[in-house]
Structures are given as structure tokens and as C-alpha cells.
Amino acid sequence: MRFFPELMKLNDGTPVDTPQKMELRKKEILEIFQKYAYGDMPAPVPVTGKILEETGRCCSGTAVYYKIEITCDFGNGRHFSYPVQLIVPEKAGKKPLLLCVNFDDAIPHEYIPSEEVVDNAFALAVLYFKDVTNDDPDFTDKLAAFYPRTGSGHDPAKISLWAWSASRALDYLLTRDDIDEGHVGVIGHSRLGKTALWCAANDIRFRYVCSNDSGCMGAAYARSWVEGAESTASIAKVFPYWFCENFQAVANDPAAMPFDQHMLLAAIAPRYLLVNSASKDAWAGPASEQDACVGASPAWQVYERKTGYQGKSTYYDANEGNIKGELGYYKRYGVHFLGRKDWLNFMEFINNHY
Ligand code: GTR
């Protein structure tokens, strides 16, 4: 029997058996992940958005495409800007929004079936992560330059910076009168699935979140690591800059880590989280992702009428899962990829709870 850090107890040992105590627990959990995993989540700064391009020739003319420049104001004349692309279905009224942090600025893209999203009546915003800060150890580039390293051990790492930029894009998007501010989701794949989870854990305006094949330091338990999957020791070595310096001290010994990933998932309760895995994606540890859903579920159950994870505790086969509860899990057939089926699942999951 493995030892998992206790989810349903406050740091001082008080059992978490009410929504009020869960709210306190979530604050503690965010602090733990800031200190030992992703680094600090910077405070918001004022944001403006400027429309650079606009065209109605999008998705066969059923949607309007906007290219928007998001500008973050750091005071004293210091600004940082990055583009966000937005596609809004043509129909009148406010639309639910899915914000995707992606690996490319092209849309449509093999990971973003934009026409499918629009056909399902969702608006779609796309943020290209390298426009915010490069995927490398350089902390002097772009947004990273505004957070010089202090040596604290928990300076904002790249995952925190990408997650923060998604929240700032949302600051602008919520000022628009065509977006339904009560129905906004964030989705990301792989390293950007880790980013989506961390973003939603910190930003309760994201009512829905989908982590796709997020794996190690995403939705997968570190302690139920299996041969063939990525380990925390490996990720800390290969991608140290995704995490804060303190992570290096704990990553080699998961048993001693002050967290595991069920706690990250729980920080999203009682909102709506879909964990997507893929059957041929052993590196992301589908079984450990499903295990973490089981482990996180009690966080939902302290809230009235919330059930959390309603799926099985034995492992799903390909193209199986359960997306009925507020915490859904689905294992798609296929490889490490963010595909049409993953998006359709996310939209179906949202519609189950809309
Ligand atoms: C892998 C990495 C994973 C995953 C993936 C990706 O190389 O080991 O943690 O995030 O990259 O982002 O595609």
C-alpha cells in the first residue's frame, strides 16, 4: 500500500468535512504546489486588448475571427504584449468560451478542430505558449523577464507563466459582450495540459477544464508510477524550467513529496474537470491519471449535491470512461494527441453540466 499525502485534512490535521474547510484546504494546496512544483503564481496586473484583425470569412462564414493583442501593464511604462486569436460563432447573444493554450499559432491546427468547436456553438480562443515565454531555461525572455529570479526556490516557473498568461487573456475576453462569463473553459494538451490544470486551479473563473494527456506533474499520480511512464525524477532532469527550483529537491523521491497530483485535481473542486487520457500513451500514464481521479473525488463530495468522479476504479479500456460527474475521466483510443474526439468529449462533458 502506497502512502499518499492526505487530501482531506488541513495541514494542522483537522478533517476536511465541509465546503468551508475544503476552501481552506484548496488554499493550502495551492501554496504547496507554488512552493514545491510550479513556482509562484504572479498577481494579476491590469490588462487591455486591442483588435488587430477581424474577418467574417471564418469557418465557412459562420463565425467571426479576431486577432487580438493582449497587453499587460506592469507600471512605470513597462508593458508586455502577446497575441490571442478568437473565433466567435455568428449567432446573437453570449457564447460559452473554450480557451486553448496550444503548441502553435495556426488555427485550424491538427490539435484544434475550430470548425467543430464553432458548430457546437462555443467560441474559441487560442493562445500560443511561445508567444508568452519560450519553452526553454531562459528566464530573461518575454514575460519571464518581468519576474527576475530571486533565489527563493519558488520563483514562477514556465508552467506558471503560461498559466498566468491564459488568465490575463481571460481578463480581456470577459470584457467582451459576446462571451458568456459564467461558462468559460480552459483546455491544453500534454505540457499545456499541466498548464491548463494549474491555471484553472488558481483561477476560479474557469468553470470547466480539460487536461489532455497531461501525464507526469499533470493529472497522473507520481506515486503510482508504472514502468514506461514518465517519472518525476525524469521530468525534473529533462524539463527543469517547467518547475521551480524546490522541485529538484523532491522530484527524485516521490514518496517524500509533500503533494501528489490528486491534490492538484482537488484544487479545482467543485468546478468541472475532465481528465482525458489516450490508450497508446504509456508515457503519460493513463492508469495513474485514472487513479488520481479516484483519489481526488472526495474533494467534490463535501459540497452539496456534488459526486465528483462517478467512474470505475478498475482501469478503463480504450474509448471508455465516465464523464457524468463533475470530475470526468475518458481514455480515448490512440496516441499522444489532442484530437477531434478529445474536443467532442470536452464539449459533451460541459453540456452535461451547462
Ligand atoms: C514530453 C514530456 C511530457 C509531456 C510532453 C509534451 O516530452 O516528457 O511531460 O508534457 O512532452 O508536452 O508533449
Side-chain angles (χ1 to χ4, degrees), residues 6 15 108 193 251 277 332:
E6 184 58 67
S277 304
R332 168 184 48 74

Side-chain angles (χ1 to χ4, degrees), residues 7 53 89 107 137 147 165 195 209 219 286 290 326:
L7 170 62
E53 278 173 44
I107 38 173
Y147 300 98
S165 71
T195 300
V209 50
Q290 194 184 334
E326 301 85 16

Side-chain angles (χ1 to χ4, degrees), residues 34 95 124 127 129-130 174 185 191 194 211 215 233 250 334 343:
Q34 290 196 55
K95 271 72 65 174
L124 169 71
L127 168 55
F129 75 141
K130 289 185 185 171
L174 293 184
R191 68 198 68 184
K194 310 179 211 297
S211 65
V250 298
W343 281 89

Side-chain angles (χ1 to χ4, degrees), residues 103 190-191 194 230 235 239 242 283 336:
F103 290 89
S190 207
R191 68 198 68 184
K194 310 179 211 297
E230 185 172 26
I235 206 171
F239 301 107
W242 290 352
W283 186 241
H336 190 68

Side-chain angles (χ1 to χ4, degrees), residues 55-65 87-91 114-115 118-119:
T55 170
R57 268 189 69 79
C58 177
C59 297
S60 321
T62 63
V64 183
Y65 166 92
I87 297 180
V88 186
E90 208 183 21
K91 73 174 179 112
S114 44
E115 203 152 347
V118 164
D119 285 348

Side-chain angles (χ1 to χ4, degrees), residues 13-146:
T14 310
V16 173
D17 48 12
T18 63
Q20 292 73 21
K21 287 189 193 133
M22 192 63 221
E23 293 302 314
L24 295 175
R25 183 61 180 143
K26 287 191 290 180
K27 283 206 184 81
E28 292 181 348
I29 288 172
L30 293 180
E31 280 166 18
I32 293 168
F33 278 96
Q34 290 196 55
K35 188 154 177 210
Y36 295 102
Y38 311 109
D40 295 334
M41 177 59 80
V45 300
V47 162
T48 50
K50 183 174 161 203
I51 296 174
L52 302 178
E53 278 173 44
E54 177 176 343
T55 170
R57 268 189 69 79
C58 177
C59 297
S60 321
T62 63
V64 183
Y65 166 92
Y66 301 91
K67 184 166 187 181
I68 296 150
E69 181 182 64
I70 304 290
T71 297
C72 301
D73 182 355
F74 290 90
N76 300 323
R78 296 163 70 238
H79 297 102
F80 176 69
S81 300
Y82 52 99
V84 164
Q85 300 179 85
L86 174 67
I87 297 180
V88 186
E90 208 183 21
K91 73 174 179 112
K94 289 179 178 282
K95 271 72 65 174
L97 171 74
L98 302 182
L99 170 58
C100 181
V101 187
N102 200 27
F103 290 89
D104 201 304
D105 59 2
I107 38 173
H109 173 257
E110 61 177 356
Y111 286 169
I112 304 188
S114 44
E115 203 152 347
E116 197 90 42
V117 175
V118 164
D119 285 348
N120 281 276
F122 285 84
L124 169 71
V126 177
L127 168 55
Y128 171 45
F129 75 141
K130 289 185 185 171
D131 280 334
V132 174
T133 181
N134 286 335
D135 192 6
D136 65 22
D138 180 7
F139 279 95
T140 62
D141 83 310
K142 302 176 192 163
L143 178 64
F146 292 85

